Amino acid sequence: MPARLEIAFFASSLVSSYWNGAATYYRGMVKALSDLGHRITFFEPDAYERQSHRDLPDPDWARVVVYRPTLDDVHRSLSRAARADLVIKASGVGVFDEVLEREVLSLKGPGTRVIFWDVDAPATLERVRCNPQDPFRPLIPKYDLVLTYGGGQPVVDRYRALGARECVPIYNALDPATHHPVAAQPRFRSQLSFLGNRLPDREARVEEYFLKAARLFPGGDFLLAGSGWGDKQFPPNVRYLGHLGTAQHNAFNCSAGAVLNICRDSMAENGFSPATRVFEAAGAGACIVTDCWTGIEQFFAPGREILVADSGEAVARLLGELTPERCAAIGVNAYHRVMAQHTYAHRARQFEEVLGVGHKATPTLAGVAP
């Protein structure tokens, strides 16, 4: 495999974050890989109104191919990807996923490897566990490698048990060029802010860690952003912004006293699954309060770089104790940690090591320990 790769990447969307929580992960990884000299063509379907809610022009660090959500266009896109050194099928494309999972494997050859990149491994593994006839199950051993963006050793073990040749987590991270400290904006000021779309396996934890905390701390000012919450009943001290484009995330993170991270149920159960927004908030120098999940200390030092709460009561108690000085100190510590260890440049170099390419290449597909 050449040191500089031609990569074909099939995923949900690079240019739109609309109902697409993986957008910043894709952008960070693809841009960092481009910075290392790899050339990426990103194939995404024109689906779910994402193209009408674009928040990124076509970048100069990737070629974006938007195809119609038809079977013919899927096969045309696959034909265009046939000459790539590396073909990546991400989970959750949203259009003809089963076809893509099967057909990308037909592109394997002496000069082409094929990877499955799972951006929601707990959900994928649970689906396969519940349905032994799931068509993806027999395909897993055929991929050269499975990458995930979270889950740690529990997810690695489950994929290996299903026959994966190798499974390596490449975690979320920070792109300092896009997420960084900016001036606070009055409309985003609050004591506690939370940004996240309304999803079935997140809602109960939002009720506990955010809305319950707001009720228990009625003198506080709480701010919620994300899609899908419009018909939800909120305590009077909660303001709702709706969908917030990525261009506004820095000001959102920099304007709050503290920023709340809430895992989805499946991510919390598996642990080792920091959301992209944890690193984005740290990159803005925000004081982060997170719900509990196994492996937090692998990424940030609890109490010094991040605050951990095990209930809505604990969140409310923390808010009552926090001073502006302590919030600022925690934010500074988190910023230094993320810049030292958790940028997409770090992740891109790990990607090269896993594949055995680049300046510090290793000759096998052996995984980097999570």
Side-chain angles (χ1 to χ4, degrees):
M1 180 167 279
R4 297 294 174 258
L5 303 175
E6 293 281 350
I7 302 174
F9 204 131
F10 289 85
S12 53
S13 180
L14 191 71
V15 299
S16 177
S17 63
Y18 187 71
W19 284 105
N20 181 32
T24 52
Y25 181 66
Y26 293 144
R27 292 170 186 178
M29 285 301 310
V30 171
K31 183 174 182 292
L33 290 171
S34 174
D35 288 344
L36 291 174
H38 306 293
R39 292 188 290 186
I40 299 96
T41 302
F42 196 99
F43 295 89
E44 61 178 79
D46 184 359
Y48 306 107
E49 301 182 9
R50 288 180 180 136
Q51 297 306 312
S52 61
H53 291 84
R54 288 174 61 128
D55 53 358
L56 180 73
D58 281 7
D60 58 8
W61 35 266
R63 181 182 183 188
V64 177
V65 175
V66 179
Y67 59 90
R68 293 177 301 169
T70 67
L71 193 57
D72 284 346
D73 263 32
V74 168
H75 282 292
R76 272 191 283 270
S77 296
L78 286 164
S79 295
R80 294 179 68 173
R83 294 184 180 180
D85 303 306
L86 181 67
V87 179
I88 298 170
K89 162 63 174 79
S91 64
V93 172
V95 172
F96 293 107
D97 272 288
E98 289 187 9
V99 173
L100 286 167
E101 286 164 1
R102 181 181 67 248
E103 295 301 321
V104 292
L105 290 166
S106 68
L107 304 180
K108 287 180 63 172
T112 303
R113 292 179 182 176
V114 179
I115 289 176
F116 183 75
W117 202 324
D118 200 340
V119 297
D120 195 358
T124 304
L125 291 165
E126 182 64 13
R127 186 192 79 208
V128 172
R129 185 191 69 81
C130 292
N131 179 17
Q133 304 307 313
D134 189 297
F136 179 59
R137 177 190 282 262
L139 300 179
I140 294 172
K142 298 181 181 180
Y143 285 92
D144 292 301
L145 173 69
V146 174
L147 298 177
T148 75
Y149 88 159
Q153 199 60 45
V155 162
V156 170
D157 291 343
R158 291 174 68 185
Y159 258 117
R160 286 175 176 167
L162 289 166
R165 299 184 185 187
E166 185 55 280
C167 175
V168 180
I170 295 185
Y171 293 106
N172 296 319
L174 170 73
D175 180 355
T178 59
H179 291 84
H180 46 75
V182 299
Q185 293 187 13
R187 72 189 186 104
F188 293 138
R189 290 195 186 278
S190 70
Q191 273 186 279
L192 186 70
S193 294
F194 172 68
L195 170 61
N197 294 332
R198 188 177 185 178
L199 297 171
D201 69 342
R202 177 188 282 144
E203 187 162 357
R205 297 175 75 85
V206 173
E207 284 277 2
E208 173 66 31
Y209 289 89
F210 186 72
L211 298 179
K212 184 177 180 179
R215 295 185 185 98
L216 293 172
F217 198 67
D221 180 18
F222 293 73
L223 184 61
L224 172 66
S227 300
W229 300 100
D231 61 350
K232 188 82 172 175
Q233 293 296 311
F234 300 125
N237 58 342
V238 173
R239 289 181 294 131
Y240 175 52
L241 296 177
H243 172 69
L244 195 69
T246 54
Q248 301 176 84
H249 288 188
N250 288 328
F252 182 88
N253 289 325
C254 290
S255 303
V259 173
L260 181 65
N261 172 65
I262 301 175
C263 290
R264 293 166 55 191
D265 291 342
S266 56
M267 296 297 189
E269 289 166 5
N270 283 273
F272 299 93
S273 299
T276 306
R277 293 188 182 100
V278 172
F279 299 110
E280 294 174 358
C287 173
I288 304 166
V289 178
T290 185
D291 56 355
C292 292
W293 40 276
T294 302
I296 295 173
E297 64 283 352
Q298 178 174 316
F299 304 96
F300 296 98
R304 186 177 186 280
E305 299 166 343
I306 197 168
L307 298 174
V308 182
D310 60 4
S311 65
E313 288 89 351
V315 173
R317 186 167 58 251
L318 280 171
L319 292 177
E321 298 170 351
L322 279 173
T323 64
E325 293 76 17
R326 190 178 182 212
C327 286
I330 291 170
V332 167
N333 292 338
Y335 175 82
H336 287 305
R337 178 68 177 271
V338 76
M339 291 296 292
Q341 297 183 3
H342 301 305
T343 69
Y344 281 111
H346 293 101
R347 306 298 191 247
R349 286 193 289 272
Q350 180 194 1
F351 178 90
E352 287 193 330
E353 290 171 8
V354 171
L355 285 171
V357 300
H359 297 300
K360 295 182 179 179
T362 54
T364 71
L365 280 171
V368 175

